[in-house]
Amino acid sequence: MKNSFFKKLISLAAACVMALSVMPATVGAAIYDRDPQYLINVQTTRRAFVSAGRQKAYEGDLVNLEVVADEGYMVDTIDIVWYERGVTRHTYLYEEDMTEKISDQQGIWQFEMPASDIDISVTLQNDWRQSQIEVKIYDENVNRGDIYSSKYYPYYGDTITLRAIPDDGYTIEYLKVNGKALTPVKENYGGETEFNYTVDEPRINITANFVRMDKSTYSVSVNTLDGGKAYLNATTAKAGDRVTLTVTPDKGKKIDTVKYGSTVLQGKDGIYTFTMPPQNVNLSITFKSDGTEPVNPSAPTWVQVGGHWRIKNTDGSYITGWYKMDNQWYYMDGAGDMLTGWQLIDNTWYYLKSYGAMATGWQLINGTWYYFKDWGGMATGWLQLGNTWYYLKSNGMMATGWNWIGNKCYYFYTGGNMAYSTTINGYKLNASGAWIA
């Protein structure tokens, strides 16, 4: 039995030798003839630790490069130098090539290894986040107003308040930081407007533009009251002015609604402040008993369910769709929840105020004037109110300044009213408002 085993072993060895003798030469080459690895040479950088993680890599390998800069410094550029057919090549890595940011001073970059030895050098720059940044103000129209900053040398992350104070007869058209327009956060008496900016760039270049404002003056009045008294801080105002109304109910009464047209005002402790639209305003104030509402009302009434306002019907169901309540229109979704803000309903844009009521007439929304028709739909195109023409763009925004409409050019004052039969900045306008070319 032992001899038989050795005979089988010898036969198996012979078979293996014969198989190797007929194996193609390329098989051996695939095993032993591998592509070469190329050297990675990282140059020493003052004020930073730089590490490639390995000293060699194959062509096409993804190599990680870690840089840890000293405090107060940050990476400017990473230069990878290699050679191809005797020509020096460069690959530059910037912050956007970083695959992992560990801190403002530390990060990991990644690059693809070329078919050549490489030299890596890193250049640093002062970390602007650690230094004060100068606020530079450029007034595009001199002698029309002033711009002030709460800080003129802020640091990264600081929030500065910028105040635009127009001269008499002018208003601020825009205020930009590094070319980006800011949204006003507060309007003060006299047209002074405040903006906030949080520093997140290594430069702060402020540009502003003041334009001549519409000097039209509109009246402000209050209807005859039954149940209280009212006081206005002004009986005339210009479009964009802030008007304050103080309401004092009689004993046993409380304020029900304060509105002009279909615009309902929201106040606190009897004080109501609103922005004057480009039209006359007649305020209507109603009062009601200060007693509590019945527990089981016999008519549809407002209830709050899960943080949402709904109108509960007498049968216990919730009203959906459009519904008129207290002379105001509201829109409730399929669950009965009251909607607010911009809503596209049956291919028409509506604006539902913060308390749900449908907006009509002029409305100042996020710093822009819109006009909503009596039935609530957003107006676009030409709009005539009395003897005054306005133009609402396709997105509903009230046009101001120069605007091409069709093949004619028109000018609209900051209050939106179209200029006509006059000259604007040397350009003549005919009786229909069109520029006479």
Side-chain angles (χ1 to χ4, degrees), residues 91-110:
T91 297
Y92 295 98
L93 303 181
Y94 301 96
E95 185 172 358
E96 55 265 27
D97 300 307
M98 190 185 299
T99 60
E100 181 181 356
K101 183 176 180 179
I102 301 170
S103 68
D104 287 341
Q105 283 78 40
Q106 184 177 3
I108 297 176
W109 284 257
Q110 193 175 75

Side-chain angles (χ1 to χ4, degrees), residues 312-327:
K312 193 170 187 178
N313 219 332
T314 54
D315 62 358
S317 64
Y318 297 112
I319 292 173
T320 61
W322 286 108
Y323 189 79
K324 193 174 184 180
M325 189 84 160
D326 298 327
N327 294 321

Side-chain angles (χ1 to χ4, degrees), residues 127-331:
D127 188 352
W128 60 270
R129 298 176 181 88
Q130 307 294 328
S131 304
Q132 288 181 305
I133 304 167
E134 183 181 2
V135 175
K136 297 181 179 179
I137 298 175
Y138 303 92
D139 187 352
E140 296 187 359
N141 284 317
V142 295
N143 300 325
R144 292 185 179 180
D146 297 295
I147 304 295
Y148 296 97
S149 175
S150 61
K151 297 179 181 179
Y152 287 92
Y153 291 92
Y155 287 91
Y156 170 72
D158 285 354
T159 296
I160 59 176
T161 298
L162 303 168
R163 292 187 301 128
I165 306 177
D167 291 343
D168 186 35
Y170 290 89
T171 185
I172 184 72
E173 182 182 30
Y174 63 76
L175 186 144
K176 300 178 180 179
V177 176
N178 300 331
K180 300 175 184 176
L182 299 185
T183 301
V185 296
K186 186 178 180 182
E187 296 178 13
N188 299 321
Y189 178 78
E192 177 183 317
T193 306
E194 293 185 6
F195 306 80
N196 286 339
Y197 170 68
T198 300
V199 180
D200 61 355
E201 297 180 82
R203 68 186 190 284
I204 305 175
N205 293 331
I206 299 172
T207 54
N209 190 38
F210 296 95
V211 295
R212 187 177 296 278
M213 65 186 302
D214 177 14
K215 294 186 177 180
S216 300
T217 300
Y218 303 94
S219 65
V220 189
S221 59
V222 179
N223 278 345
T224 302
L225 298 182
D226 181 15
K229 300 178 180 61
Y231 169 76
L232 280 167
N233 72 328
T235 56
T236 59
K238 298 176 183 178
D241 285 354
R242 301 291 286 173
V243 179
T244 299
L245 169 71
T246 303
V247 181
T248 305
D250 292 339
K251 186 176 181 180
K253 297 288 185 178
K254 63 180 180 180
I255 301 170
D256 184 12
T257 60
V258 177
K259 63 181 181 178
Y260 61 89
S262 58
T263 300
V264 178
L265 303 181
Q266 297 297 304
K268 183 178 181 181
D269 298 330
I271 299 176
Y272 299 78
T273 302
F274 63 95
T275 300
M276 188 70 180
Q279 66 182 46
N280 296 331
V281 169
N282 181 242
L283 292 156
S284 174
I285 306 171
T286 60
F287 300 89
K288 62 183 178 181
S289 170
D290 60 5
T292 59
E293 294 293 327
V295 176
N296 297 311
S298 59
T301 188
W302 288 104
V303 295
Q304 197 168 24
V305 180
H308 298 279
W309 283 105
R310 298 181 180 180
I311 300 176
K312 193 170 187 178
N313 219 332
T314 54
D315 62 358
S317 64
Y318 297 112
I319 292 173
T320 61
W322 286 108
Y323 189 79
K324 193 174 184 180
M325 189 84 160
D326 298 327
N327 294 321
Q328 293 287 329
W329 282 99
Y330 300 85
Y331 191 84

Side-chain angles (χ1 to χ4, degrees), residues 340-357:
T340 61
W342 286 104
Q343 300 293 335
L344 183 63
I345 302 171
D346 295 331
N347 295 319
T348 300
W349 281 104
Y350 298 80
Y351 187 79
L352 307 176
K353 300 180 182 180
S354 59
Y355 52 93

Side-chain angles (χ1 to χ4, degrees), residues 9-55:
L9 186 61
I10 293 171
S11 297
L12 179 60
C16 291
V17 171
M18 290 188 65
L20 287 171
S21 66
V22 298
M23 186 178 293
T26 55
V27 174
I31 296 174
Y32 299 107
D33 217 4
R34 302 185 66 183
D35 294 334
Q37 286 186 309
Y38 298 100
L39 294 175
I40 300 173
N41 177 38
V42 178
Q43 296 183 9
T44 301
T45 302
R46 293 184 65 243
R47 302 188 182 279
F49 168 78
V50 183
S51 173
R54 56 169 130 169
Q55 296 178 335

